[in-house]
Amino acid sequence: MGRTTGAGPVREALAALPLVDHHCHGVVTAELDRPGLESLLTEGEAWPGSGVSPFDSPVGVAVRRHCAPVLDLPRHAPADAYAARRAELGAAEVNRRFLAASGTRVFCVDTGYAPQPLTTPAELAAAAGGDATAHEVVRLEGVAEAVAARGVEPGEYGAVVAEAARQAVRRPGVVAVKSVAAYRTGFALDPARPSAAEVTRAAAGWLGRGGSRLDDPVLVRHLLWTAVDLGLPLQLHSGFGDADLRLHQADPALLTDWLRLTAGTIPVMLLHCWPYHRQAAHLAAVFERVYLDVGLALHHVGPARARAVLAEALEITPFRKLLHSSDAYGVAEFHHLGAVAFRQGLAAILGELVDADELSQADALRIARWTGRDNARRVYGLDGLPDLPH
Amino acid sequence: MGRTTGAGPVREALAALPLVDHHCHGVVTAELDRPGLESLLTEGEAWPGSGVSPFDSPVGVAVRRHCAPVLDLPRHAPADAYAARRAELGAAEVNRRFLAASGTRVFCVDTGYAPQPLTTPAELAAAAGGDATAHEVVRLEGVAEAVAARGVEPGEYGAVVAEAARQAVRRPGVVAVKSVAAYRTGFALDPARPSAAEVTRAAAGWLGRGGSRLDDPVLVRHLLWTAVDLGLPLQLHSGFGDADLRLHQADPALLTDWLRLTAGTIPVMLLHCWPYHRQAAHLAAVFERVYLDVGLALHHVGPARARAVLAEALEITPFRKLLHSSDAYGVAEFHHLGAVAFRQGLAAILGELVDADELSQADALRIARWTGRDNARRVYGLDGLPDLPH
Amino acid sequence: MGRTTGAGPVREALAALPLVDHHCHGVVTAELDRPGLESLLTEGEAWPGSGVSPFDSPVGVAVRRHCAPVLDLPRHAPADAYAARRAELGAAEVNRRFLAASGTRVFCVDTGYAPQPLTTPAELAAAAGGDATAHEVVRLEGVAEAVAARGVEPGEYGAVVAEAARQAVRRPGVVAVKSVAAYRTGFALDPARPSAAEVTRAAAGWLGRGGSRLDDPVLVRHLLWTAVDLGLPLQLHSGFGDADLRLHQADPALLTDWLRLTAGTIPVMLLHCWPYHRQAAHLAAVFERVYLDVGLALHHVGPARARAVLAEALEITPFRKLLHSSDAYGVAEFHHLGAVAFRQGLAAILGELVDADELSQADALRIARWTGRDNARRVYGLDGLPDLPH
């Protein structure tokens, strides 16, 4: 029996699997020069004049290795050549190439973060070609901030936000809501549902301070409970993010009390999670409706290292609880790179287990289909399709 | 020199080593149908109707791979076939097979958690056959809760609990005490020994609330100091556990101040530890009487992944400080699977080091004997036997 | 194409690279017997009579494997033989051998911790031979404690400490300052610059308590802001350390607010970091002037495991942000072992990536030069030399 007896079919199956990317963003529609491209490659900022280029990082190396060939460049093409070729092809063509190459057939798009003009979900799906479809994820902080911007009395804030959220999720194609509570207050919050009086008092304070960036702990908590009322899956940013984050406050274990209080209600999707993916896995193992992914981390560490991160995430995670997301934002390279990292990383893990006879090939193939596609279809009820046979 | 020159003998030595399982529980004596079996395979709950079976997880895959053959089934037997064969053989035969297959010769049994009827330590050892012996670990919260159940005045609580603990550890076969402080209050507790007045006041409060589940921080702390007075090794649940836990509060680093205050007194055995096993290793490296294991985690991640977890746990841990435990509860599969994971994981680590000439074979064999058996014998004074030559 | 096409040249380049050790200490000048040697091998203490020898640990195994040959002993020589040979050669010869063998050409020496007589930076460089040079790192807590020891009025404390720090860093060869805030108060501190009145009040309290070990949170914070005023890179102990530490309070993520407030000022060098190296990497990825190393951890886990720790540290770290340090203290074995672990661990990572065509060989060689030497030269402005071509 050759060493690749098991790994081969698993790798092929994962390479061919139509993926569901259950959390991503649109891509910028503007043309990007090298500085513009670099600013989108990092969770930090581009630091002009610092001598540190975002290309000189694991994700930069991964882009030059895995994305350059999609633009007809040799592997490891220099950053300047890469940026030049990108400009030459134009954003539309670049986006089409990467989104098609990703093999993603369903995109769940968080539309609540757009400091730059981005593709709509429909545009993203169209750029991916074929039968690709897109669904929308509504960011709850954005709903509340829009309510504040339109003007609202503190005493009506709770009801108006709840109604605005209900309206938002009634829009066609909406499959989930999202909260960035991790950024705004962190997860070490009072788990209880705030009373109407508390919400009014907090709204008075926040609106009085201008009501722009929702960072009041009572109102953030109110949004988490609003999500419970809406009944849709709730995506929660966890762990890895940009300089706006206090990483240790985004450890999802801090949410335990809230998860206990809300057990049996909505699915809770822990996004990213790194470096707290083991903590997230523990929550997914002990709470029925908790799920996780290691999106964002996978393309930042790159396909070569994705296996190690996925292996940690999968140590105790029930196979029905891990999903694929890219969390790509801005550049379609990341929709592609996230998919490559997921496919290759998972194939390496499962293939090695099959080769060592620690896992049957049938089980490996099932785990691949579940995590890459069916778990998301099941949680979000995508297309109304039943689960595939397993 | 072939690649397996070093790994072979180390693997053989570990495969044949009579293990001490320094922390485990009994097995249920009732017959188990598939739902009953599933409910014992997970640290969460079985979630009937959720579409998520505990078999669809790393530990489920490991059971089908490593336990099915012990029941005369092929590797990777389906879950239904597994449950049917288990029922056919009957609990007594199943338990005998797994306990014998584990190669464990000494069991230290935590008798303080028994929501279902379980084997006694003596029954567990008898089922393992041959010269297997069992010792008892007394759970301190259980002692205190029994005192409350019998009725006690707040002002006498401290003295009565201390005396009840002394009586409990005087029973033949008791080698250690255990605390689940991690579950009840977490480790971020005031490290100081509570005064008699504080204990009385806290007891009045707790007893007044019904005195059923001991979760008062002063009284939990009082139990930790009671352990110091008793002079026996104290096992502490750390890290990984069920839905009743706030994982981040079970990080053993939070115990640092208490370990400093109690340095030079009793051995402190940090159980499980994952995902804080590196933090536990740090404590074991800097405090003379702190030890650790990665039990529970090893069978949940499965033998195929145990190597990675053990390798992290061993990064800086003195070799006299790591022990083997299964933390198996309820099903004898886990006594076996924990042993397999420990043997195979450690053999893979040590064998690779020997092959790379990073470790001598004599050292590898010594580390195997220490961690699998002799460290426990030494700490618990098992059998009054001296350490084996090293 | 053979499997070692890429790994070979990378390994050779790293083996030959003249290293900058950007954070280390001197070596003891006294002769060491076995207990003396053992006491320096562990971050804990030697525990005489405990049956646990510091040699029975990963770092002990690594010393016997990688250091014994430098003393003309066979690999894996027994601890007694090792200690005897060391005594036979004498401290001066032993130190010369290890410092030369390390291939380190520039040492940045923290002179602020010397419970035993140690070599000066100049003596350390001289022992390393050839063109090795040494620079000094001034420990700020030592500056403040010296001020207190000389006597100071609380109202003048702030100004006197600032002036003493300015004087200290004006000495020839000083390239950085260091704080052990992680030990003294932990990183969960108020990030704001303390007012003069706050400093006076805190100084009155601390000086009134004797003013020996600086552990007042306001005064520790004052030192961090003093570092900002000095303008030199600030080295911060993070993570892994001795029994005096509360590990969880040394998680560098806790510093996020302070890093945000001081962004754009001084370089902040996070030292050691393990087991929070992923958290440190996140900070280095999102803050322009944050850097990290995994010194101390590398020799304690040993060259055989250094690869795994470095791989985690490098998951998302920009390649301009990782540095090499040994954090060796007391015994020159650790200057050598840290260098071996860094060279071998990084070569294994980069070589495998090159072999898998995930990284070009030119990039691999550049990353090796940057992390082993040029990043430190750049941050500290060593020798006034420009960066080497890349």
Side-chain angles (χ1 to χ4, degrees), chain A residues 255-312:
Chain A
L255 272 180
T256 304
D257 287 339
W258 185 78
L259 292 170
R260 214 174 274 153
L261 282 181
T262 59
T265 64
I266 53 170
V268 176
M269 320 304 290
L270 301 172
L271 306 175
H272 327 322
C273 299
W274 181 100
Y276 307 110
H277 39 298
R278 281 170 160 161
Q279 283 85 338
H282 181 254
L283 295 170
V286 300
F287 289 109
E288 180 182 336
R289 310 211 73 186
V290 174
Y291 298 78
L292 73 140
D293 71 46
V294 280
L296 185 60
L298 287 197
H299 63 263
H300 274 280
V301 307
R305 180 72 188 166
R307 173 199 192 144
V309 172
L310 270 168
E312 290 178 358

Side-chain angles (χ1 to χ4, degrees), chain B residues 278-292:
Chain B
R278 282 169 159 162
Q279 282 85 337
H282 181 256
L283 296 171
V286 301
F287 289 109
E288 180 182 335
R289 311 211 72 186
V290 174
Y291 299 78
L292 74 140

Side-chain angles (χ1 to χ4, degrees), chain A residues 143-313:
Chain A
V143 170
E145 289 161 1
V147 164
R150 286 195 299 270
V152 64
E153 289 303 309
E156 292 168 7
Y157 172 90
V160 172
V161 165
E163 178 55 26
R166 275 193 296 274
Q167 294 291 344
V169 304
R170 259 185 226 135
R171 290 203 303 267
V174 172
V175 292
V177 293
K178 183 190 173 187
S179 166
V180 290
Y183 272 97
R184 299 302 176 83
T185 59
F187 286 150
L189 39 73
D190 179 348
R193 186 192 282 266
S195 69
E198 286 175 293
V199 171
T200 297
R201 195 160 50 242
W206 177 57
L207 296 167
R209 290 194 309 278
S212 56
R213 186 177 189 268
L214 186 76
D215 56 4
D216 178 274
V218 171
L219 301 186
V220 165
R221 186 154 57 98
H222 171 254
L223 288 181
L224 297 183
W225 282 97
T226 300
V228 173
D229 298 336
L230 291 170
L232 287 182
L234 169 64
Q235 299 186 343
L236 282 176
H237 178 105
S238 308
F240 192 22
D242 63 34
D244 200 27
L245 188 72
R246 294 179 187 94
L247 189 60
H248 58 288
Q249 297 185 354
D251 176 349
L254 297 168
L255 272 180
T256 304
D257 287 339
W258 185 78
L259 292 170
R260 214 174 274 153
L261 282 181
T262 59
T265 64
I266 53 170
V268 176
M269 320 304 290
L270 301 172
L271 306 175
H272 327 322
C273 299
W274 181 100
Y276 307 110
H277 39 298
R278 281 170 160 161
Q279 283 85 338
H282 181 254
L283 295 170
V286 300
F287 289 109
E288 180 182 336
R289 310 211 73 186
V290 174
Y291 298 78
L292 73 140
D293 71 46
V294 280
L296 185 60
L298 287 197
H299 63 263
H300 274 280
V301 307
R305 180 72 188 166
R307 173 199 192 144
V309 172
L310 270 168
E312 290 178 358

Side-chain angles (χ1 to χ4, degrees), chain C residues 110-128:
Chain C
D110 174 358
T111 53
Y113 179 68
Q116 296 165 277
L118 297 177
T119 53
T120 63
E123 288 165 352
L124 194 75

